[in-house]
Structure formats: structure tokens, C-alpha cells
Amino acid sequence: MKIILPKFTGLSVMVMLSAPVVVLGASGPKWLAYNNLNPVEIASFQNIITGKVVDDKGIPLPGVTVKNTASGKTVLTDSNGTYRIEAEAGHTLSFSFIGFISQSQSAGAANKTIRLISSDNNLSEVSVVSIGYGTINAKEVSSAATHVGPDQFRNTGARNPLDLIQGKVAGLQVTRSGSNPNSGVSVQLRGAVSVTGSTSPLYVIDGIPGGNLDLLQQDDIESIDVLKDGSGAAIYGSTANAGVIIVTTKKGKKGPPQFNYSSYIRREVLNQRLDFLTADEFRARIASGDIKQQDFGSTTDFYAGLINKNNFSQNHSLSLAGGGDQTTYRASINYRDLDGIAEQNGRKDYTVRLSIGQTGLNDRLKMAVNLATNLNNANLLGGEGFESELTKNPTLSNFNPDGTYRFDLTSRNELARLNQETNYRKQQTSSADAKADFTIIEGLTLSAFGSALRDNRVDGQYILKAGENSVENTSFPGGGYAARGTFLSQDYAFEPTIQYRKTIAEKHNFTILGGYSYRYHIEEGFSASNRGFINDLFREDNLAQGSALGLGKATIASNKNDNTLVALFGRLNYSFNNKYIASVILRREGSSRFGNNNKFGYFPAASVAWLLSEEQFVKDLTFINSLKLRVGYGETGNSGFANNASRVTLGGGGRYIYPDGQYLETYGPTRNSNPNLRFERKAETNVGVDFTMFGNKLSGSVDLFKRKVKDLLDTYTSPQPPYVQSSLYTNVGTMSSKGIELALSYAAMKRPDFSWDITATASTLKNTLDSYSNEEYKVLYKTFGPIGGAGALGDAYTTYEGERLGEFWGKRFAGFTPDGKWLFYNRKGEAVLNAQINNSKDRNLTDLAPIGNAIPKYYASLGNNFRYKNLTLKVFLRGKFDYDILNTTALSYANKTWSGNLLESTFGKYSQINDTYMYSDYYLESGSFVKLDEVTVGYDFKIKNKYINRLSVYVTGQNLATITGYSGSDPDYIEDTGIGNDVNGRVLGIDSRSAYPSTRSFVFGVNIGF
């Protein structure tokens, strides 16, 4: 053996034997060729080549196979499209990814960016899908997940980010109660999953669990991914019972600075108004004796006084983005002024968002920071009173003869209220998150994610001394009223993860993820009100000046509560030979909301996929381009209910005089403890097929699912003793749903100057309340859906064990007697008077029967996208089918018993009625509809100069026409989610007599890049 210590910087050791030569230098060991102890030429040391793979739009591609053709070494790009591979200067690297043309490049220089060009494959096969704590390419997804990119977003001027995907995801229902700019949306994925717990999907925004949608503006959103089944959602455990919606915002990219400006303006017009009598028609009915009312001599259109005919909404967004080899950035600022169709009903938003990405330590460390804040000022005064104004006697006036507002004790002067009261909200919502990824060794990455979310709002209300509420108050007549409230919620999350990616023998691809999750939520609120203000100067800014405070008649309240959630989770993704794919998830989670005996629960999931199109027997079928079969099973839970539900809570019992002569407050338990309170658990099985066919012209997916929720949470009557209170919040029932979902995309025509693409979604759903009893608690049925309006008519739905949700139970209309009295069928099929009907809930005795269902059985949408040169046309239709709506507007106001204004149909369709108000199938109408929901015409100017590189304009019409058999207001605005009573006060399948007006809207927008 001979050891030579060379005389240059760095240590090199040459071992000369009859074996290969090894050189130990500053860059690590290197084996060299040997030649029987003859001197050899020392080759260049082996290098670690790093780089990034992006698509033809510059978007990073994870999961790209990078192969050193000389050594056979293979790696996959990470979630940022980055790769690290051992290679020498003379080696060649090949890059391959389904849906893109493969490339080969010299390993020459490090830090290369490879841009892959799309092949003719269907885009759904090359989409990058967020699956929670990571991304994956669509080819490797084995669960039911839908990816929606910006090219598929709606162009209607979104008030809420979910407006962008309404009708775009099969199985996802997004329902608005109207165009009120201050209202949210009801969201439901694959049916109802709870009676009292959360029924809304979990929103994850840039990794923030439970992210606030107010922080999102449409121009900041890169993509929206929907995890629909349990095999994908289980990674989020008890907060994912209703599915997961993952929103990814836009980030900066390497390249020259880019500026983008987008704007739209919108105008809304009244779409539909219920046909109530005009003042002249009302007088004519009085004169003819059809109604016995008084003519007060005026002619007033009360409803028109609530309509903002000059509404004008606008949105402006400016973003700047760019970056270099180590740093990328994007910042945006948005101003939005939304003006409702109702008077005194608007909202102004200011949103700022900043994202920064940084790499270092030889590209081993990647950090990203996102900051966002939204300031909004909402006018909450308008948006109500429509029922009151439609049903007032139209011969009355809003004014007295002397010009002052007219008040009475039977109704509210809505016009006066809009001019004599204020009601506003000032809100700031902010979020900050940071993520660090550190590559320990090749394929092994340690990550840490932290986020903070803060929502702070101040509400204020004031009623002038001359206001109706002040004038009619009996305790402080003629004194002003003021109220103020504050609310603050804060959410913190910390989620470290470790991930290992490995390719073995070019066929076995592993990705193993493990992590810990900590989430903490705290909220607090305060409210106070006072009356008897002697002037209107202070309004709500000096509450102490009201007279009610000194007399102990002012109000004050405050609250504060919190909860904590912790979890350990893991996921294994595996693929073999690009044919067989599997994913396994396990999450163990604990929540402070549950009883001491059941703080923790396990949520397992598994899914597999078979790429049949990689098998020879399918390759021989030339009309099939890709075909994948998926099967998944997963369990999730529900922890979305009130804090402290499992604990004894104390409340005031009143003030009493004690022996010492003092009046002291007493306290006692207000809730029973339940140490056995546990998670609701949903088990879901999904079978799906993804396909592209006929030269990639037709693509789509079909999913069949079945889910069962057990241990439903609700309040049951508890025995006393041993319990102190008469009710207990506990786990008892089960609920199930099943359905089919279909999504299709068809390239009907593709020419150099013309293309036509068709997209369609469809789904069907059945939701059943399997049981609501156990050995301890017996509840054979639940009632939902308060009818309200005229008459004490109770609830519209009776859901018996084993029956479908949303089932209308009531009387079956059999006609009228000659003098206009109601006739109904009894259980024998005989037509009898109402007094002879048995209203029992016992199905063996009752004359009541199932008369309809409020939940649509089918949902569908159809989109047609045309392009001719630079001109585009989008036509989007949407519909709900096979369900019923209870027309309570007709029930209450098409009956001459009512003392105010009446529907015109009172003297047509409903003219035979000469009786009191009744609930029966007489007022059930088909809710099925087809809506021309969006038509967009756009033009893309091909501008290329040193100032502007992109300019496009578009015009959109929304809600242009509706075909339906329902005679009331817009059926699309009637609640179709949940089980009966919505958390926002809306009721499933029952029209709102004071519904926010349905509108058509027209949007003009422009997008400029420079």
C-alpha cells in the first residue's frame, strides 16, 4: 500500500492496490478506474445536480421522473417541482411525466429549470392535486378528488370564493339565499352528515386548517381541490366529516417582474317579483266585495321603496410577482365595493396579500411566508322587510298628512327604518403562516408549518329618537336606542411533518409522511345596549348617556371560550410500475370538546388504484387513452359543535336576599356532564373510474359512494335523578347516504381557429335517518322545518327512523266543500273535513302521510365553451331535479282570511278557499328547474409590446332565465342542504316569504398584464 499526501488545498488520499482506486477529497469519496497499479487520470468528482421542472406555463410539476441514463439513478421532483440527483458533467438526464413530452438534457450545469411541453393528453391527467399536507399528480390520485383550475372558474364576479366553482364539482352543493353581498353560502358535499354538528366542509387555505374565506379574492386563487370521500379526507380527522376544500393561492415564479391588473363592474336588475295586487287592483277587489278591507286613499308601492335601482358594484385588483434563483414573491391589493339590490345593503372590502418564497443552504432549505388581511365595512341595515312591504294594504301611505313618517303597532315602516336607523359591521380578518422544508438527505424532508388567524369585528346600531322603535317603546318613549358589540376569535396551528420519497428499481415509488397537528381556538365577545337618549348626537359611541342604565334596564353581556385539538397522523403513498397505486392513512386525534372517557379517536383510511390503460389488454383497445379504477374506504369524525358540551356549566339563578340583608346572585348547573361524549364517526366507501377516450376527446370520472354516520350527536331527555338537568347532549343515532357522481369533458371540435369544448356534471343522492334510538334513549322520529307565517302550523317534516331526510309529512288534499271548506283524505282514502283528520305521529293510527321530499334527487350542470380566434363564448346551465317546495307565500297570502295585500292568484288558482290556513300537499310544488346561469363573451387582444403583454375583456350575464314549475320566487335560492333548519335560519325546502330579491346581473371585466 502506498499513501500519497498531495501538496494542495484539501485532503486527497490515493490507495493503490490491484483494485479500483479511491480518492477521498473535499467533495467526498470517488472510485476511479484502475490499471494494474499504473497511474490513472483522476476523473472529475461526482456532483449533486439540482434543478426544477415546470410546465409550459411555469407552474412547478411534482412527481416528475428524473433519470440519470448513465448510472440508472432515478428520483422524483418534490411538491415544488425541485429535484436533486447524482450526476457528472457528461451524463444525460431524462425527464418524463404523463401528459408531457419527455425530454433529455445534459447534466452540465446545476440549478437548471426544465420546461416540459404538454402533449395531447387530457389535462386532467397532468393536473397537480392538493391532497392535504402535500400535492400529487392526478394520475396517482386513488381517492375521489376534484381539481378546479382558474380556466374553469365562473366569471360572475364572485362574492365568495365558492361562487367560482358552483356547479363545477359533482356532488358539491353551493346554495345562496340571494344576492345579498353580506350573506354567505350554504355548502354541502354528498349529503347531510350530522343533525347538530358541523355540516360544512373543512376549508384549508395554503395549509391553514379552518381558513377564513373572507381572506380570499378571486384573482388570488390558483386552484381549488375538493376531497370528497373519506379515503382522502381522513388525513384531517374529525374536522373533515363533511369533506375538505383546499384552496391554493397564487405564488411568485422565477422570471422578470410581472404586473397584473383586473377589474369588473356589475349591475343588477330585479329578476322576479311576486304578483301581489297593485293599489288600483286592491281597490277594485274591495269595490266588488271580493275582500273586506279598507281603502285608505293612497297608492303606495312599498316593495319598490326597498329596491336599490341605482346599484353599482366594482372590483379592482393589482398584483406584482417575480423572483430569481433563490427568492420568489407575489403581492396583491384588492378593493371591492359591492352594492346590493336592496337599499342600505352594501359592503366594501380592502384585501392585501403577500407571499414570499426563499431557498438556501444549497437548495436544501425552502421557506415560504404568506400574509393576508381583509378590512370590510358592511351595511347590515337593509336586506330585510320584503314580506312586510309586499303584504301591506297598498292604499296606505308611508307618511302622515304633515309629511312625517306614519307608524302603527301592527307593522313596521321599512322606509322610515332605512332612514332613521343605522346598523353596521367593521371587521378585520388577518392570517399569517410560514412553512420551512429542510432536505436532510436526498428524498428525506423535514417540514414545519405554523399559522395564526385572527377575526375581529365591531358592530354598531342606533335608532333615532324619532324612529319607530323609539317612539313606540313604552318604557322610554321618544328616547334613542343604541347598541354596540365586539367579537374576537383567534386560531393557532402548528404542524410539523417529515416526508420520505424513494424510488427502488425504477418501479417502486414510495412517499411516506408523518406528522403532528396542534390547533387552538379561542373566542370572546361583548355586547351592550341602552335606551332613553335625549339627543341623537352620541349615537352608539357614548352608551352611558342613555336613561335606561341608571334604572338598571340597560343590557350587557360577555362570553369567552376555547378548545384544543391535537393529532398524530401518517400517510403512505405507493405505486408500482406506474400501474398499481395505493394510499394508507391513519390519524389519531383528541379534542377538548369530548368527554374525559373519549378524548381521542382513530381515523383510518385506505385506497387503491389500478391504471388499466397500462395493461396490454387495454392498450389493444385503441379507443381508450387512459383508464383508472379506484377503490377507497375511510373514516372521519365530527367535532364541530359547542365548546364545553361534555362538561357541567354554571349559570345565574337569580338574585335573592340573604340573612345579612344583601341581594346576591345564585348559581347552579345549566348543563349535565357527559364524560362519554365522543366523536360522530363517518365510514365511507367509494368506487370510481377515471378515463379518457377517443383520442383524448372524451374524459371524465364516475364515482359511486356509500357512507354511514354513527354516534350522531343531539340533545335527549335525561332522567332526573341521577341527572340534574332534564336534557343531555349525547351520541345515539345513525345516518346514511349513497349516490352516484358523474363528470365529463368533451372536446367536440378542435381547429386552428375554432374550438368547442363541453363539460357536464351530474349527481344523485339519497339521505336516510337510519335510527335515532338506542336501549337508553327512544326517539322514533324527529320533526324539522317550521312553517311559520299565518297560523300555528308547526313543522313541515317528520323524519321517522329508516326514512329519507327532508320528507314532507302532512295532509293529503281531497278538494273543497261547496262552501269552500277544506277536505282531506284519511288513511282509508275517504275525503273528510279537517276536524275528522287524525294528526297523530303514530304511523299505525295517523291520517297524515309522506307527501313529498325537499331534497333534490338529481343535480346537473352543462357548460359549452366556444373559441373563434381571439373570441370566446361560455354558456353554462345548471339545474336541480325531482324535489318539492312548500309554497308558504301562497299558503299565507293567497287566502282571503289575510287582512293585508294578497297575491293575484287568490282570485284565480286559490279562489275556492273559504277557510282558515292549512298545511297540506295542496301547497307543494315541483322545485325542479333549469337555469341559464351564465353567458360570458370574451376577447383576448394579442398585444406584445414593452408595456402590455396581455389584455382581455369580457361581458357576463348571470341568472338570465329559469325554467321551473314553481310559482314562487327563484327556486335556486331556497335551501337544499342540511336536514331541516339551517344554521343561518333558512329552512330546507320551504320558501322564505321575505326572500332576498332574485336578480339578473351583468358584469363587464378587464384583465391586463404588463
Side-chain angles (χ1 to χ4, degrees):
M1 177 182 291
K2 184 176 181 181
I3 299 177
I4 303 173
L5 299 178
K7 298 180 180 179
F8 52 79
T9 303
L11 174 65
S12 179
V13 179
M14 180 176 291
V15 181
M16 302 187 67
L17 300 169
S18 57
V21 177
V22 64
V23 176
L24 302 177
S27 60
K30 172 74 170 87
W31 288 99
L32 302 179
Y34 66 88
N35 190 10
N36 296 324
L37 298 179
N38 291 329
V40 297
E41 179 181 358
I42 300 176
S44 61
F45 295 157
Q46 190 175 30
N47 295 316
I48 298 295
I49 302 297
T50 64
K52 193 171 188 176
V53 183
V54 300
D55 65 8
D56 43 12
K57 295 181 181 179
I59 299 174
L61 291 174
V64 176
T65 300
V66 184
K67 181 178 181 181
N68 184 332
T69 58
S71 66
K73 181 70 174 177
T74 302
V75 298
L76 299 176
T77 57
D78 63 17
S79 59
N80 298 310
T82 302
Y83 66 88
R84 295 170 55 85
I85 190 169
E86 296 179 2
E88 296 183 7
H91 290 174
T92 298
L93 303 181
S94 69
F95 301 85
S96 59
F97 190 54
I98 190 168
F100 289 86
I101 300 172
S102 297
Q103 286 191 35
S104 295
Q105 295 283 341
S106 170
N111 299 319
K112 300 182 66 173
T113 296
I114 305 300
R115 188 178 297 270
L116 295 185
I117 306 301
S118 299
S119 66
D120 290 333
N121 286 353
N122 183 267
L123 289 178
S124 65
E125 286 295 311
V126 299
S127 298
V128 178
V129 179
S130 294
I131 56 173
Y133 304 103
T135 58
I136 196 171
N137 66 71
K139 182 192 75 168
E140 296 177 327
V141 174
S142 54
S143 61
T146 299
H147 177 83
V148 185
D151 292 340
Q152 301 163 280
F153 289 165
R154 304 279 301 272
N155 294 99
T156 54
R159 296 173 176 85
N160 183 292
L162 297 182
D163 291 339
L164 297 171
I165 60 173
Q166 186 181 30
K168 296 290 186 177
V169 180
L172 178 69
Q173 282 81 57
V174 179
T175 306
R176 273 197 173 276
S177 61
S179 58
N180 188 333
N182 295 309
S183 69
V185 295
S186 295
V187 183
Q188 183 172 277
L189 186 60
R190 292 185 164 183
V193 293
S194 183
V195 176
T196 62
S198 173
T199 60
S200 178
L202 170 69
Y203 302 110
V204 180
I205 302 174
D206 286 336
I208 301 177
N212 193 315
L213 297 180
D214 283 343
L215 289 167
L216 294 170
Q217 302 299 324
Q218 62 181 48
D219 296 305
D220 289 331
I221 299 175
E222 179 64 34
S223 65
I224 299 176
D225 294 281
V226 183
L227 308 184
K228 298 195 287 187
D229 73 337
S231 66
I235 194 69
Y236 287 106
S238 72
T239 55
N241 211 42
V244 182
I245 296 179
I246 301 175
V247 182
T248 303
T249 62
K250 295 177 180 178
K251 305 295 189 298
K253 300 179 178 66
K254 178 182 177 180
Q258 296 182 353
F259 296 86
N260 288 280
Y261 169 76
S262 64
S263 176
Y264 69 77
I265 57 175
R266 178 172 58 225
R267 184 70 182 273
E268 296 183 69
V269 297
L270 199 61
N271 182 37
Q272 183 182 14
R273 175 175 170 172
L274 295 176
D275 294 324
F276 278 80
L277 299 176
T278 65
D280 290 339
E281 291 170 340
F282 194 80
R283 287 192 184 91
R285 292 294 177 183
I286 294 174
S288 66
D290 291 335
I291 56 176
K292 295 180 175 58
Q293 302 292 334
Q294 182 177 353
D295 182 354
F296 291 96
S298 295
T299 298
T300 308
D301 187 346
F302 294 102
Y303 187 82
L306 302 184
I307 302 302
N308 180 10
K309 302 177 183 64
N310 298 316
N311 68 87
F312 178 80
S313 297
Q314 56 183 315
N315 181 85
H316 304 276
S317 182
L318 177 66
S319 68
L320 56 149
D325 292 334
Q326 303 298 322
T327 304
T328 59
Y329 63 90
R330 184 181 186 274
S332 67
I333 184 168
N334 179 272
Y335 167 70
R336 185 173 63 169
D337 183 1
L338 301 179
D339 209 2
I341 190 68
E343 289 283 2
Q344 299 285 359
N345 177 224
R347 177 187 179 99
K348 291 185 179 181
D349 282 279
Y350 308 84
T351 303
V352 177
R353 178 173 287 274
L354 172 67
S355 64
I356 299 175
Q358 178 83 34
T359 62
L361 299 181
N362 196 24
D363 290 336
R364 288 183 178 272
L365 177 64
K366 294 181 175 64
M367 291 196 67
V369 176
N370 297 295
L371 302 172
T373 190
N374 171 271
L375 300 171
N376 87 71
N377 296 320
N379 188 345
L380 305 178
L381 184 63
E384 58 180 87
F386 303 108
E387 178 183 11
S388 168
E389 301 304 82
L390 280 172
T391 59
K392 281 181 181 176
N393 184 324
T395 66
L396 286 167
S397 173
N398 276 317
F399 301 95
N400 295 312
D402 62 359
T404 60
Y405 287 111
R406 184 190 65 83
F407 301 141
D408 62 58
L409 297 178
T410 60
S411 65
R412 187 171 69 178
N413 189 322
E414 296 292 343
L415 182 66
R417 188 179 68 86
L418 293 177
N419 291 284
Q420 294 181 322
E421 299 183 18
T422 57
N423 189 357
Y424 64 83
R425 171 167 293 169
K426 298 178 180 179
Q427 183 174 9
Q428 179 174 10
T429 305
S430 302
S431 73
D433 67 85
K435 185 180 182 183
D437 298 325
F438 181 70
T439 302
I440 302 171
I441 59 174
E442 181 184 325
L444 182 63
T445 303
L446 179 64
S447 301
F449 173 84
S451 66
L453 181 63
R454 179 184 175 94
D455 183 10
N456 184 29
R457 59 180 183 254
V458 176
D459 295 342
Q461 183 181 4
Y462 187 74
I463 302 173
L464 294 177
K465 292 174 56 184
E468 184 172 12
N469 184 276
S470 299
V471 170
E472 295 177 353
N473 184 266
T474 56
S475 298
F476 301 92
Y481 170 85
R484 182 181 285 272
T486 62
F487 176 82
L488 172 64
S489 73
Q490 299 172 85
D491 291 87
Y492 302 95
F494 176 62
E495 296 183 323
T497 58
I498 187 167
Q499 179 174 280
Y500 183 63
R501 300 167 66 97
K502 182 68 175 178
T503 300
I504 302 175
E506 300 184 32
K507 291 186 176 181
H508 304 274
N509 293 322
F510 294 89
T511 301
I512 304 172
L513 172 77
Y516 168 78
S517 178
Y518 169 84
R519 300 185 210 167
Y520 177 67
H521 171 84
I522 182 171
E523 62 182 46
E524 53 192 286
F526 172 83
S527 63
S529 67
N530 202 357
R531 279 193 179 275
F533 290 85
I534 62 173
N535 63 62
D536 296 320
L537 299 177
F538 299 119
R539 295 186 173 255
E540 69 278 3
D541 299 322
N542 195 347
L543 285 178
Q545 296 301 309
S547 303
L549 180 62
L551 299 177
K553 294 185 178 182
T555 65
I556 187 169
S558 63
N559 64 84
K560 185 175 184 178
N561 59 78
D562 66 351
N563 70 82
T564 303
L565 185 148
V566 296
L568 293 171
F569 57 88
R571 178 174 61 210
L572 168 64
N573 290 336
Y574 169 74
S575 67
F576 171 70
N577 203 25
N578 288 324
K579 292 183 183 179
Y580 313 107
I581 299 166
S583 177
V584 179
I585 295 171
L586 179 63
R587 182 176 176 112
R588 183 175 189 265
E589 185 171 276
S591 171
S592 62
R593 286 175 167 167
F594 292 96
N596 291 332
N597 298 336
N598 291 291
K599 289 291 187 187
F600 286 85
Y602 287 90
F603 303 101
S607 59
V608 295
W610 181 14
L611 286 168
L612 289 160
S613 51
E614 297 297 317
E615 303 289 356
Q616 190 59 48
F617 67 86
V618 177
K619 288 182 178 180
D620 293 338
L621 303 174
T622 56
F623 67 93
I624 296 178
N625 302 104
S626 67
L627 182 63
K628 179 172 66 176
L629 174 65
R630 296 178 279 103
V631 179
Y633 171 84
E635 296 184 11
T636 53
N638 197 338
S639 58
F641 57 90
N643 294 328
N644 302 310
S646 66
R647 301 171 179 170
V648 173
T649 55
L650 298 179
R655 294 186 176 187
Y656 298 91
I657 189 168
Y658 274 60
D660 60 2
Q662 296 186 74
Y663 280 89
L664 299 176
E665 181 70 50
T666 60
Y667 290 90
T670 59
R671 179 188 286 122
N672 290 318
S673 69
N674 185 0
N676 296 316
L677 195 70
R678 58 189 179 274
F679 294 95
E680 291 181 340
R681 297 187 66 88
K682 183 191 72 182
E684 183 172 7
T685 302
N686 191 95
V687 178
V689 176
D690 301 326
F691 58 87
T692 59
M693 305 171 68
F694 310 120
N696 295 303
K697 294 187 71 174
L698 176 66
S699 64
S701 64
V702 180
D703 281 279
L704 292 81
F705 69 90
K706 185 175 183 180
R707 53 169 52 163
K708 194 177 191 71
V709 185
K710 64 179 182 179
D711 295 334
L712 289 174
L713 290 163
D714 204 351
T715 301
Y716 288 80
T717 301
S718 56
Q720 295 175 280
Y723 293 102
V724 176
Q725 293 293 326
S726 61
S727 62
L728 181 71
Y729 195 62
T730 189
N731 304 83
V732 174
T734 60
M735 181 189 296
S736 63
S737 62
K738 57 183 178 181
I740 303 172
E741 297 164 354
L742 172 67
L744 295 173
S745 178
Y746 181 63
M749 189 173 295
K750 192 172 184 179
R751 301 285 186 270
D753 287 338
F754 180 78
S755 65
W756 174 22
D757 297 313
I758 303 172
T759 61
T761 67
S763 64
T764 181
L765 174 71
K766 182 179 180 181
N767 241 151
T768 303
L769 184 67
D770 299 319
S771 69
Y772 223 69
S773 303
N774 61 16
E775 295 179 357
E776 189 174 1
Y777 300 99
K778 299 294 183 183
V779 177
L780 301 180
Y781 63 88
K782 291 279 289 185
T783 66
F784 305 99
I787 297 170
L793 300 178
D795 290 344
Y797 319 123
T798 302
T799 304
Y800 289 93
E801 289 187 314
E803 301 297 332
R804 290 178 60 187
L805 296 178
E807 202 89 295
F808 287 106
W809 268 73
K811 302 164 189 171
R812 294 170 294 158
F813 175 68
F816 295 100
T817 65
D819 58 348
K821 304 304 179 184
W822 293 100
L823 292 173
F824 302 107
Y825 291 110
N826 62 18
R827 63 185 298 107
K828 297 178 181 180
E830 301 165 337
V832 298
L833 293 171
N834 177 63
Q836 298 172 278
I837 289 293
N838 186 331
N839 292 293
S840 169
K841 295 295 184 182
D842 186 338
R843 285 188 285 183
N844 296 317
L845 301 174
T846 186
D847 289 327
L848 306 181
I851 55 177
N853 196 281
I855 300 176
K857 191 173 182 180
Y858 306 101
Y859 294 84
S861 69
L862 177 66
N864 285 272
N865 301 324
F866 303 91
R867 179 191 60 82
Y868 176 70
K869 294 185 177 180
N870 298 347
L871 186 68
T872 59
L873 171 64
K874 297 181 180 180
V875 180
F876 187 69
L877 295 96
R878 185 169 53 83
K880 305 173 187 178
F881 307 94
D882 197 4
Y883 73 110
D884 302 291
I885 295 174
L886 179 60
N887 191 337
T888 63
T889 304
L891 188 157
S892 296
Y893 304 118
N895 187 321
K896 292 186 286 290
T897 303
W898 171 245
S899 60
N901 201 0
L902 294 164
L903 286 163
E904 291 180 1
S905 55
T906 308
F907 309 97
K909 177 180 178 180
Y910 304 103
S911 61
Q912 287 183 270
I913 302 174
N914 185 26
D915 204 346
T916 188
Y917 309 103
M918 286 288 171
Y919 160 53
S920 73
D921 58 358
Y922 183 70
Y923 293 107
L924 282 182
E925 300 178 3
S926 171
S928 299
F929 71 86
V930 174
K931 181 185 292 288
L932 180 57
D933 208 23
E934 178 187 337
V935 175
T936 297
V937 179
Y939 191 84
D940 187 9
F941 296 89
K942 299 299 182 182
I943 297 177
K944 295 293 182 182
N945 59 44
K946 63 180 181 179
Y947 299 111
I948 298 176
N949 55 50
R950 181 174 59 87
L951 173 61
S952 62
V953 297
Y954 65 90
V955 178
T956 296
Q958 185 185 17
N959 197 18
L960 298 177
T962 302
I963 302 174
T964 181
Y966 172 61
S967 63
S969 56
D970 193 331
D972 192 29
Y973 289 162
I974 296 174
E975 189 65 44
D976 64 332
T977 65
I979 62 170
N981 307 339
D982 180 69
V983 294
N984 297 315
R986 292 171 292 188
V987 180
L988 177 69
I990 300 176
D991 64 356
S992 171
R993 293 172 299 278
S994 190
Y996 198 90
S998 172
T999 65
R1000 293 187 182 95
S1001 64
F1002 300 92
V1003 178
F1004 173 75
V1006 59
N1007 297 292
I1008 306 174
F1010 49 92

